[in-house]
Amino acid sequence: TFAMAYDSFGQAAGDTNGTAGDGGVFTTVDDLYKWDRALAGSSLVRASTLDVGFTPPILPDGPSTYAFAWNVRLDRGLRTLWHTGRTGGYRSYIERRPAEQQLIVMLTNHGDTKRGDIARAIVHVLRGEPVTLPGRSIARRLYDAIKADGIDRALHLHDSLRAQVAPDYDFSESELNT
């Protein structure tokens, strides 16, 4: 049984109808945890092989940040591996911090979510550092305003919220494109 998928505005979103391959892998947080532990224990793949696989290549245009199907970055000098997924209204995020033996997994059936921002907040919590919450979705707020009162009211609301000294909304390009 699958959870119904929803878009960013709470409307039912199409699913993949069991599409195989990319976008057709369905799993659970528990199974991803088992998979992570198997990778950490080298029972699936030798540690030396993973080390090569998790090292981004140098391309003709310069270094890459993508290796062995993972995005790779250094955080405080330690390798962090992450990947997102999306299909229909489903979204996923997985982040591995092998040296710290930390795993962050998010699986949702509610369209675009701030998975990367939430993951950064989780890391701050684990480190005992202050947390900055992600901004609220301006797209959702404007969508609701358009439905209720029309585009002119939504434009006025946008300008009003944007003018606030400390707005708690996300006005990023991706939000406004949504």
Side-chain angles (χ1 to χ4, degrees), residues 3-178:
M4 174 68 129
Y6 299 91
D7 67 16
S8 299
F9 306 110
Q11 304 298 312
D15 64 23
T16 62
N17 297 318
T19 304
D22 183 30
V25 177
F26 295 89
T27 190
T28 67
V29 170
D30 290 334
D31 285 343
L32 287 170
Y33 176 74
K34 290 175 190 175
W35 177 66
D36 175 73
R37 294 297 75 210
L39 287 175
S42 298
S43 63
L44 289 177
V45 180
R46 287 189 303 260
S48 60
T49 302
L50 285 178
D51 192 46
V52 171
F54 292 147
T55 302
I58 303 296
L59 302 173
D61 293 340
S64 175
T65 59
Y66 196 69
F68 200 49
W70 290 88
N71 296 284
V72 181
R73 69 174 178 267
L74 293 180
D75 183 10
R76 297 184 178 183
L78 300 174
R79 186 182 293 160
T80 298
L81 311 163
W82 63 275
H83 195 77
T84 62
R86 64 184 291 154
T87 186
Y90 304 104
R91 301 293 184 267
S92 64
Y93 181 91
I94 185 167
E95 179 173 308
R96 298 186 68 238
R97 294 172 167 265
E100 300 159 285
Q101 297 216 0
Q102 294 174 345
L103 174 70
I104 298 170
V105 174
M106 288 177 260
L107 305 174
T108 181
N109 64 331
H110 185 65
D112 289 325
T113 55
K114 299 181 181 302
R115 299 177 311 271
D117 293 338
I118 294 168
R120 282 186 288 283
I122 290 169
V123 170
H124 286 289
V125 168
L126 292 172
R127 291 177 176 164
E129 299 171 350
V131 174
T132 301
L133 297 175
R136 293 169 45 193
S137 173
I138 192 64
R140 178 67 191 243
R141 182 74 189 271
L142 294 176
Y143 177 81
D144 290 343
I146 291 168
K147 281 180 39 181
D149 301 314
I151 190 71
D152 290 334
R153 173 68 183 119
L155 289 170
H156 177 75
L157 176 63
H158 169 273
D159 294 343
S160 172
L161 291 172
R162 186 91 187 210
Q164 291 179 6
V165 175
D168 61 347
Y169 285 95
D170 176 0
F171 284 92
S172 67
E173 182 178 351
S174 62
E175 271 291 310
L176 293 173
N177 285 341
T178 298

